[in-house]
Amino acid sequence: MAVIYEVNMSWEENVRLVTPYVPGEQPKEKNIIKLNTNENPYPPSPEAAKVLKGFDAELLKKYPDPNVTLLRESIAKYHGVKTSQVFAGVGSDDVLGMAFLTFFGGEEPVLFPDLTYSFYPVWSELYRIPFTEIPLDDTFRIRPSDYRIPCGGVIFPNPNAPTGIYETKEVIREILNDHPDVVVIVDEAYIDFAGENASVLDLIPEYENLLVTRTFSKSRSMAGARIAYAVGSEKLIDYLMAIRNSYNSYTMNSVSIAAGVASVEDDGYFRESVEKIKTTRDRFTEEIRTMGFTVLPSSANFVFAAPPAPHTAEEVFLKAREKGIYFRHFSSLRANPYLRITIGTDEEMDQVLRFFREEI
Ligand code: PMP
C-alpha cells in the first residue's frame, strides 16, 4: 500500500515519510501457477529439510549467534574467501538496506540504472541518500561511460532485474576502474543462473571497494528462510557489521542458520536444480519467441517478455491472473510493454504456453 495520510496533526510532521517498495503478490489460493516473485519451483536441498525436521526446539530458548559464524564459515569455504570477508543477513533486502545505510552516506548521488530493482530508490529515500538513475541503453544494457560522473556510490544487479540481462566482467571492471573512491555494489541475486565463472567475486582481491551480494532466495529455493550474504574486503565487512550491530544484533535466527549451512554443503543438489531451471528457461524463451513475443536474453530465473501486438502486457497479465497464472507487470514507462515471468517447473511452463496459445 502506498502511503499515505494527509499530515494534519503536529506529531505527524515528525514521521519519516517514504513511498514503500511493493513486493509481488503472495496469493492465498492453492492451485495457482505463481510466477510473479522469482521463487524457485523446486524444494530446498533435502539436507536442509532434514535439519529442519530434526531441529531441537530447546535451542530456541537461546539467542542465535549474532556473528552467524557457522553459516559465514561455510559460505567462506564455498567461495574460497575468509570468514571475515562474509556478512550475513536476513535476505538481500536486509543486506542491501544495511549496505545503503553503511556506504552511501556522501553528498554526491548514488548511481543505479533505470530499469532496475525498484527497492534501490526506496532505500535511498528512506536514508535520505541522493540518487541518480542512469537509463539503460536501447537494448537495456548498462553503458559504463554513462556512469563516468562524480557520485557517492554505484549499485546494480547482475543479471539485472527485471530485464534478466547479464553484463560481462569487463563492463563491471570499467565501472570499478572509474570509481576507486566510492563503494560499488553488485547485487548478484540471480548470478547462479548466469553460468560458471559469471560472478565478480574473483575481482574482490583487486578492489577493496567492491561489495557483492548473494541470496538463498532464488537458486537455493529458500526465500522463506530469509538468508543472504555479502562478500567483500575485510574492511567493507567490518563497516557493515558495525552498522548492523548498531541496529539489530540478532538478525538471523538459529533455524535459518542451521538450514542454510546444510544447503551450502549440498552442492550437487543445488547445481542440479539450477541446471533444470536454465534448461526450462531456454526452451520457454524459444517457444514464446516463435509465438511472436519479444524476449530479452535472460541469464536469470525469469524472462522479461513483451507479447506481440495488438496484445499488451497489462491485458495478458490480467487475463492470466483470472486463470490463476500470476506474472509480474510493472507500470513504469520502459517496463510497461513487458511481463516478467518467473521460470517454474516444466509442467507449469507448459501450462503457460497452453494459455498463450489459447489467448494470443
Ligand atoms: N535483489 C534483486 C535484484 C532482487 O530481485 C531481489 C528479489 N526481490 C532481491 C535483491 C531481494 O531478495 P531477497 O531479500 O529475498 O534475498
Side-chain angles (χ1 to χ4, degrees), residues 82-86 204 208 232-239:
K82 293 190 214 156
T83 305
S84 51
Q85 290 185 271
V86 179
I204 286 172
E208 192 183 48
S233 61
E234 282 177 300
K235 224 175 182 183
L236 285 184
I237 301 306
D238 273 352
Y239 279 122

Side-chain angles (χ1 to χ4, degrees), residues 8 30 32 46 89 176 229 243 268 274 281 318 331 360:
N8 48 24
K30 295 251 166 9
I32 57 156
L176 283 161
Y229 57 99
I243 293 297
V274 165
R281 173 192 70 201
L318 292 171
S331 55
I360 284 173

Side-chain angles (χ1 to χ4, degrees), residues 21 91-93 96 117 120 157 161 187 189-190 215 217-218 226-228:
Y21 169 74
S92 336
D93 287 343
L96 291 166
Y117 186 32
Y120 300 162
D187 171 355
Y190 301 101
T215 180
S217 297
K218 320 289 177 184
R226 313 304 299 129
I227 305 173

Side-chain angles (χ1 to χ4, degrees), residues 38 112-118 120 134-137 139-142 147 155-167 186-191 194 296-304 334 340:
N38 298 340
F112 45 81
D114 173 27
L115 286 172
T116 197
Y117 186 32
S118 52
Y120 300 162
I134 312 281
L136 296 167
D137 75 8
T139 56
F140 292 95
R141 303 209 79 101
I142 290 175
Y147 288 73
I155 178 164
F156 52 89
N158 195 35
N160 196 6
T163 62
I165 289 183
Y166 171 75
E167 299 295 352
V186 182
D187 171 355
E188 292 194 337
Y190 301 101
I191 198 74
L296 302 192
S298 172
S299 297
N301 69 334
F302 56 85
V303 294
F304 203 47
R334 281 192 90 182
R340 195 195 65 190

Side-chain angles (χ1 to χ4, degrees), residues 55-168:
F55 192 84
D56 179 3
E58 278 272 317
L59 292 174
L60 294 181
K61 290 194 302 197
K62 291 196 177 152
Y63 282 103
D65 169 15
N67 293 323
V68 197
T69 312
L70 288 179
L71 181 60
R72 287 173 52 235
E73 276 173 1
S74 69
I75 292 167
K77 193 166 152 219
Y78 188 75
H79 289 306
V81 297
K82 293 190 214 156
T83 305
S84 51
Q85 290 185 271
V86 179
F87 174 84
V90 189
S92 336
D93 287 343
D94 178 46
V95 174
L96 291 166
M98 279 301 152
F100 267 69
L101 185 57
T102 308
F103 300 118
F104 295 159
E107 313 222 313
E108 296 280 8
V110 166
L111 310 180
F112 45 81
D114 173 27
L115 286 172
T116 197
Y117 186 32
S118 52
F119 222 137
Y120 300 162
V122 177
W123 286 311
S124 303
E125 209 190 315
L126 174 63
Y127 297 129
R128 314 261 158 92
I129 298 165
F131 65 94
T132 303
E133 293 171 287
I134 312 281
L136 296 167
D137 75 8
D138 292 345
T139 56
F140 292 95
R141 303 209 79 101
I142 290 175
R143 214 172 8 214
S145 56
D146 294 345
Y147 288 73
R148 206 165 289 145
I149 50 176
C151 67
V154 181
I155 178 164
F156 52 89
N158 195 35
N160 196 6
T163 62
I165 289 183
Y166 171 75
E167 299 295 352
T168 63

